[in-house]
Amino acid sequence: MIEIYRWYNLDCTIGRLSINSAIDGFQCFTLELPDLNNQQDISCIPEGIYDYKLYQSPKHGTVLHIQDVDNRTMIEIHAGNYTRQIQGCILPGDSVKWLDRD
């Protein structure tokens, strides 16, 4: 299960993602688009706990695919650094930094 907590800004959403398994846990920061009422391709997804699967993305290679997001499809967790690289997905990172004024 993936659990996501957020800090909402006008131009982006910063979050903390946790994956807890029977073996160990994982945490990272996240970058998403601003909260625009969960609209496909232009908004972050709602806070919550989600199932995920490994998925072979044609564009991003092997990614985590978030399951069962209300009114949304194909939410990937994939590499990236800027909101301009996001189309409704989640970018993971080990820290929060302002890069390239994005």
Side-chain angles (χ1 to χ4, degrees):
M1 302 292 269
I2 289 179
E3 190 166 7
I4 302 172
Y5 296 97
R6 305 279 177 44
W7 297 273
Y8 298 96
N9 301 294
L10 293 176
D11 59 347
C12 69
T13 301
I14 306 296
R16 187 187 75 208
L17 179 147
S18 299
I19 300 175
N20 295 313
S21 68
I23 300 170
D24 57 10
F26 171 82
Q27 287 192 18
C28 67
F29 290 102
T30 60
L31 176 64
E32 294 182 69
L33 294 173
D35 184 4
L36 298 172
N37 297 313
N38 195 33
Q39 295 179 69
Q40 182 80 24
D41 297 332
I42 63 169
S43 177
C44 63
I45 64 172
E47 285 188 38
I49 299 173
Y50 297 98
D51 286 324
Y52 65 94
K53 292 182 182 178
L54 284 178
Y55 170 71
Q56 191 62 37
S57 168
K59 185 173 181 179
H60 301 109
T62 303
V63 300
L64 296 181
H65 175 220
I66 305 294
Q67 305 292 297
D68 302 321
V69 178
D70 287 341
N71 302 312
R72 298 283 292 275
T73 60
M74 298 312 299
I75 305 299
E76 297 178 0
I77 298 177
H78 64 78
N81 292 307
Y82 308 101
T83 54
R84 64 180 176 260
Q85 297 171 311
I86 305 171
Q87 199 169 18
C89 293
I90 301 171
L91 305 183
D94 62 3
S95 62
V96 176
K97 298 176 186 174
W98 294 106
L99 299 174
D100 191 28
R101 298 179 188 224
D102 186 13

